[in-house]
Amino acid sequence: MSQQKIRIAIDCMGGDVGLPVTVPAALLFAKQFPDVRCLLVGDAQAIAQALRAHGSIDASWYEILHASEVVTMADSVEVALRRKKDSSMRVAAQAVKDGVADACVSAGNTGAWMAITRYVLKTLDGIDRPAIATSIPNQKGGATTMLDLGANVDCTAEHLLQFAIMGSALAGIVDRIERPTVGLLNIGEELIKGNETVKQAAELLRNSGLNFYGNVEGDDICKGTVNVVVCDGFVGNVVLKSMEGLAKMIANMMRDEFTRDALSMAAGLVAKPILNRFRDRVDNRRHNGAALLGLRGIVIKSHGSADAYAFGYALQRARGAVQNGLLEGTTRAIDHLRASLREAALQENDSKPQSESGS
Amino acid sequence: MSQQKIRIAIDCMGGDVGLPVTVPAALLFAKQFPDVRCLLVGDAQAIAQALRAHGSIDASWYEILHASEVVTMADSVEVALRRKKDSSMRVAAQAVKDGVADACVSAGNTGAWMAITRYVLKTLDGIDRPAIATSIPNQKGGATTMLDLGANVDCTAEHLLQFAIMGSALAGIVDRIERPTVGLLNIGEELIKGNETVKQAAELLRNSGLNFYGNVEGDDICKGTVNVVVCDGFVGNVVLKSMEGLAKMIANMMRDEFTRDALSMAAGLVAKPILNRFRDRVDNRRHNGAALLGLRGIVIKSHGSADAYAFGYALQRARGAVQNGLLEGTTRAIDHLRASLREAALQENDSKPQSESGS
C-alpha cells in the first residue's frame, strides 16, 4: 500500500522558522491528500515532539528519517556540502537517490540545497546545469513559468536553450499545455536588442523545434504573452524579487489607506469580501515552490520565509510533479531534442549542434 | 525677461500619440509654471494648428522651432542619426547644444533619442556612456533612483561606477539628499553572489568615496533600502518593465473584483475615495520622465505611451533639473571623484584607477 503512495521527503529543519512551519504543513498536506506519505527528515526527537504538539496520533501518513545536522542560512555551500554530511537536506536528497522517496522539498538555504541535490542526484544527460523554475500568476488567469531564477549567474546561449527545453517540459507536463510557447527575456525593441548571449540563444531557439515565440519584455511576464519565459539566473532572480517587493508595497499601501481614519475603516469593512477575494488572487503564497529542473530526481525549493500555508503549496507542487511524471517527461523532452539536433547536425554537417553535456 | 525663464525644448512629434499629447501637456505646464518658456519642436504648421485647437491665444509662453522630419518608433538608430538630420529630436537636442534651451524632452524612440542627444551634446569628461535613470516610488514614501534602465546592455565595472556617481549626483541634487546611499543590485546572499562584473564594481564602489551601502536585492528597490540602485541596462530595463507589468495586472484585478456583481459595485462606490487615494499613490504616471545622465546638457525621456498628464510630469522633471543645477552638480561630482581617484592612484601607485574617458 505504502508502495503505491507518493512519497515526499521533507526537510523539516529548513526555512526561516523550521519545524513549527514544516510539521503542521506536512500534517495538513497528508490529511488533504491521502495518497501521499511524508518522510519527515531532521532531528528525530524534535520532529516527534512537534508532531505530538500538533496532535498527530495516526502514524500511517509519515515516517521519520533522522538527520543529525542542519544547514543554516549562513552556511556556505562549501560547509553544507563537505562538513555537514548528515544534514537534513543531504538525507532528504539521498532518500530520492535511493528510491525511498519520489521527491524532496526544502525551504532552507537555496545555494546549499542546489549544491547538495546536484551532488547527490546528478544532472540529466544533456543538461550542464540545473535551473530554478517557478510559476508567476498572469493576467490571463493562468501562470507564466519562468526560469532560471538564480541557479546560474553567468550563462551561455546553450544554457539558455537547455532552460527553454526544461521549462517547456515543465509547463507541458504540470500545466498540461500542448507545445508551450517559449519567450526569451530581452529589452525593448527600440534599444539595441539584448546582449550577445541572448542574441545567440534566440538563434538556437529558432532552430530548436520548441514552440519559440521570440523575444519578450519584462511586462510580458504578467501579461501572459508566452507560457515560458527564459532568462539567466541573475536577471531572473532580480526580476522575481523586484516583483515580490512591489506586490508587498502595494498591499501595504492599500492597508494604509483602508485604516487611515474611521471613515476609511468603515469603507474597508463594506469592501472586505471584495478585498479578500482580490488578496486571494494576488496572494503569492499559493505559488510557493520552485522546481529545480535538470536533476535525476524531483526537487522542490520553498521560499525560506514560507508559513505553513505557503509551505503546503510547495508540498503540493512536489506531489503534482510526481503524479504527472515530470521527471520522465523532462528526460523524454531532452532526449527527443538531442536526437533531432544530432540529426540536424548530420544533415547540415554542422559540427557544434550542442554543448558538451555532463554535470 | 525671456532670458531668465527656464527654456525647455519639447519634441512635439515623439511618443505613441504625438501632438495631441505633447501640445496640451505643454500648454498646461506653462500655465502651472509661469517661469518656463516652451520651445515647441516639430512640424510648425501642425503645432500651430494643435495650439489653436487647444485654444492657446497667449503666445508669450512658447516659440515654435520647425523640424521637417520625424523619427518613428520603427526607425533604426542608423536612420534616425544619419538620414533624418532635420528631425524634431535632432532640432530639440541642437537647441540645448546652442544654448537656446536649458533642457530637452522627448517621448519618442528611446534608442534614437539616446543616440541623437549623445551625438549632438557629447558626454561629460570622465563618462564613457550616458545612462538612463528614473525614480521608483518606495515604501518609505520617497523614491528610489534607479539606473541604468537600458542605455547600456554590456557594462564593465567602471561603467557601473560611473552610473553610481551620476545617480548619486541626481538623487543629491534633485531629491536634495545629502550623501545619498548607493546600492549595487545583486542576487541573494545565499546564492553565489553575482557575476564577475558586479563583484568588481562592488570593489570599485567601496573605494570610491561614494556613500556605498553594499549589495541590494530586487525587493530593496521598493523597500527603499538605499537612495540609488545601480545595475546594467539589461537588468534595469527588464526589472522596470516587469514591475510595470505587475502593477498593471494588480490594478486590473482590483477593477475586476469591484465590478464583478452588483454587490461588489456597491462596495466599490463606498470605497471609492479610498481606492482613488490608493490609485493616486501607486499611479506611475506621476513618476514619468527618465533622465539621460552623463551628457553635456539636460535630456529627459518620457514614456512613449504617456498621456498629457504623464507627459506633464516629464516636463516638470526637466524644469526641476534645470532649476536645481543638475548639470553643474553632476559635472562637479564627477570632477571631484576623478580628482580623488587620481590622488589615490598617485598614493597607491596603482596604475588603473579609472577607465579611459571620452565618448
Side-chain angles (χ1 to χ4, degrees):
Chain A
M1 291 215 301
S2 151
Q3 247 32 14
Q4 294 158 341
K5 285 197 174 184
I6 296 174
R7 301 155 309 166
I8 318 274
I10 304 169
D11 166 16
C12 289
M13 315 306 281
D16 298 347
V17 177
L19 291 165
V21 157
T22 55
V23 169
L27 190 58
L28 190 67
F29 172 61
K31 255 187 204 152
Q32 271 182 289
F33 302 98
D35 60 355
V36 298
R37 187 168 169 81
C38 296
L39 278 64
L40 306 176
V41 187
D43 183 285
Q45 246 187 330
I47 293 174
Q49 197 174 358
L51 282 167
R52 275 194 304 275
H54 286 94
S56 173
I57 305 159
D58 173 19
S60 73
W61 65 273
Y62 73 88
E63 177 173 330
I64 295 175
L65 285 186
H66 181 67
S68 62
E69 290 170 305
V70 177
V71 173
T72 69
M73 289 297 186
D75 282 340
S76 69
V77 165
E78 198 61 333
V79 166
L81 207 53
R82 316 250 170 257
R83 303 246 190 95
K84 297 189 169 174
K85 295 195 175 172
D86 195 39
S87 72
S88 52
M89 281 188 176
R90 183 73 164 263
V91 173
Q94 191 64 43
V96 173
K97 170 76 179 172
D98 296 342
V100 177
D102 301 303
C104 54
V105 181
S106 177
N109 186 321
T110 309
W113 186 227
M114 289 192 307
I116 289 172
T117 51
R118 182 175 175 172
Y119 176 79
V120 171
L121 296 169
K122 312 296 178 213
T123 55
L124 292 167
D125 286 336
I127 298 298
D128 296 335
R129 303 182 183 185
I132 306 179
T134 197
S135 297
I136 296 167
N138 65 34
Q139 200 129 278
K140 291 188 173 161
T144 306
T145 297
M146 185 166 167
L147 74 169
D148 173 45
L149 299 175
N152 308 279
V153 170
D154 293 299
C155 293
T156 64
E158 280 81 14
H159 294 142
L160 292 173
L161 171 64
Q162 291 173 11
F163 299 166
I165 299 167
M166 296 191 286
S168 186
L170 180 68
I173 295 159
V174 174
D175 299 337
R176 297 164 196 275
I177 299 165
E178 216 170 310
R179 285 184 52 69
T181 49
V182 177
L184 188 61
L185 197 55
N186 204 335
I187 60 172
E189 291 266 346
E190 75 273 36
L191 303 171
I192 319 121
K193 271 191 199 154
N195 57 29
E196 276 312 310
T197 308
V198 171
K199 280 182 206 165
Q200 288 165 21
E203 201 50 39
L204 290 179
L205 280 162
R206 252 185 289 279
N207 301 319
S208 67
L210 290 172
N211 193 0
F212 182 51
Y213 171 90
N215 288 330
V216 293
E217 294 190 50
D219 52 347
D220 289 306
I221 300 167
C222 281
K223 271 188 200 160
T225 309
V226 291
N227 302 123
V228 182
V229 170
V230 172
C231 59
D232 75 45
F234 189 94
V235 171
N237 186 276
V238 168
V239 163
L240 190 72
K241 291 231 165 117
S242 301
M243 287 169 71
E244 282 174 3
L246 176 63
K248 208 171 282 176
M249 180 174 80
I250 292 178
N252 286 346
M253 278 183 175
M254 187 129 98
R255 201 181 36 226
D256 276 6
E257 293 303 342
F258 275 107
T259 52
R260 189 185 275 205
D261 49 41
L263 208 66
S264 303
M265 286 199 273
L269 270 178
V270 174
K272 202 170 169 48
I274 297 100
L275 292 174
N276 285 348
R277 220 160 54 199
F278 168 71
R279 195 200 52 206
D280 287 347
R281 269 179 77 181
V282 295
D283 189 353
N284 75 348
R285 292 184 303 168
R286 294 189 307 140
H287 293 271
N288 183 38
L292 262 65
L293 299 173
L295 295 169
R296 297 174 188 270
I298 291 173
V299 180
I300 301 289
K301 168 71 179 79
S302 157
H303 217 293
S305 66
D307 57 15
Y309 178 79
F311 194 71
Y313 276 94
L315 296 176
Q316 286 185 41
R317 197 163 285 251
R319 175 178 171 274
V322 175
Q323 208 171 32
N324 296 317
L326 177 63
L327 191 61
E328 303 72 22
T330 308
T331 311
R332 239 186 348 259
I334 295 164
D335 289 347
H336 178 75
L337 198 96
R338 291 176 85 204
S340 67
L341 284 174
R342 256 197 307 272
E343 210 169 289
L346 283 174
Q347 278 175 12
E348 295 176 26
N349 206 14
D350 179 347
S351 63
K352 45 165 203 145
Q354 172 97 6
S355 77
E356 63 276 30
S357 70
S359 66
Chain B
M1 292 215 303
S2 152
Q3 243 41 6
Q4 294 157 341
K5 286 197 171 184
I6 296 174
R7 302 154 308 165
I8 317 274
I10 304 168
D11 166 17
C12 289
M13 315 305 283
D16 297 348
V17 177
L19 291 165
V21 157
T22 55
V23 169
L27 189 56
L28 191 66
F29 172 60
K31 256 187 202 151
Q32 272 182 286
F33 302 98
D35 61 354
V36 299
R37 187 169 169 82
C38 296
L39 278 65
L40 306 175
V41 187
D43 184 287
Q45 247 188 330
I47 292 172
Q49 198 173 357
L51 282 167
R52 275 195 304 275
H54 286 94
S56 174
I57 305 159
D58 172 20
S60 72
W61 66 274
Y62 73 89
E63 176 174 330
I64 295 175
L65 284 187
H66 180 68
S68 62
E69 290 170 305
V70 176
V71 174
T72 69
M73 289 298 189
D75 282 340
S76 68
V77 165
E78 205 46 348
V79 166
L81 206 54
R82 317 249 169 259
R83 303 247 189 93
K84 295 188 169 175
K85 295 195 176 172
D86 194 39
S87 72
S88 52
M89 279 187 178
R90 183 72 164 261
V91 173
Q94 192 64 45
V96 173
K97 170 79 180 169
D98 295 342
V100 175
D102 301 304
C104 55
V105 182
S106 177
N109 185 322
T110 309
W113 186 227
M114 290 192 307
I116 288 172
T117 51
R118 183 177 175 169
Y119 176 79
V120 172
L121 296 169
K122 311 297 179 216
T123 53
L124 293 167
D125 287 336
I127 298 298
D128 296 337
R129 305 181 181 185
I132 306 178
T134 199
S135 297
I136 297 167
N138 65 35
Q139 200 128 281
K140 292 189 173 162
T144 305
T145 297
M146 186 166 165
L147 76 170
D148 173 44
L149 300 173
N152 309 280
V153 169
D154 292 299
C155 293
T156 64
E158 280 80 15
H159 294 143
L160 292 173
L161 171 64
Q162 292 173 12
F163 299 167
I165 298 167
M166 297 191 284
S168 186
L170 180 68
I173 294 159
V174 173
D175 299 337
R176 297 164 195 273
I177 299 165
E178 218 169 309
R179 286 184 53 70
T181 48
V182 176
L184 188 62
L185 197 56
N186 205 336
I187 59 172
E189 291 266 345
E190 74 274 35
L191 302 170
I192 318 121
K193 272 192 200 152
N195 57 30
E196 276 312 311
T197 308
V198 171
K199 279 181 207 164
Q200 288 165 21
E203 201 50 38
L204 290 178
L205 281 162
R206 252 185 290 278
N207 301 318
S208 68
L210 291 171
N211 193 359
F212 182 51
Y213 171 90
N215 289 329
V216 293
E217 294 191 50
D219 52 347
D220 289 306
I221 300 167
C222 281
K223 272 189 199 159
T225 309
V226 290
N227 302 123
V228 181
V229 169
V230 173
C231 59
D232 75 46
F234 188 95
V235 172
N237 186 276
V238 167
V239 164
L240 190 72
K241 292 229 165 117
S242 301
M243 285 169 70
E244 283 174 3
L246 175 63
K248 208 171 281 175
M249 179 174 81
I250 291 178
N252 288 346
M253 277 183 175
M254 188 129 97
R255 201 181 35 227
D256 276 7
E257 292 303 342
F258 275 107
T259 53
R260 190 185 273 208
D261 49 41
L263 208 64
S264 304
M265 285 200 277
L269 270 178
V270 174
K272 201 171 167 57
I274 296 100
L275 292 174
N276 285 347
R277 222 160 52 199
F278 168 70
R279 195 201 53 208
D280 287 347
R281 270 179 76 180
V282 297
D283 189 353
N284 74 348
R285 291 183 303 166
R286 294 189 307 141
H287 293 271
N288 184 38
L292 262 65
L293 298 173
L295 295 169
R296 296 173 188 271
I298 292 172
V299 181
I300 301 290
K301 168 71 179 80
S302 157
H303 217 294
S305 67
D307 56 15
Y309 178 78
F311 193 71
Y313 276 94
L315 297 177
Q316 287 185 39
R317 198 164 285 252
R319 176 178 170 273
V322 176
Q323 209 170 31
N324 296 318
L326 177 63
L327 193 59
E328 302 73 22
T330 308
T331 311
R332 237 188 346 259
I334 295 165
D335 288 347
H336 178 76
L337 197 95
R338 291 177 83 207
S340 68
L341 284 176
R342 256 197 307 272
E343 209 168 291
L346 282 175
Q347 277 175 12
E348 295 176 27
N349 207 13
D350 180 350
S351 62
K352 44 164 200 149
Q354 173 95 8
S355 76
E356 63 277 33
S357 71
S359 67

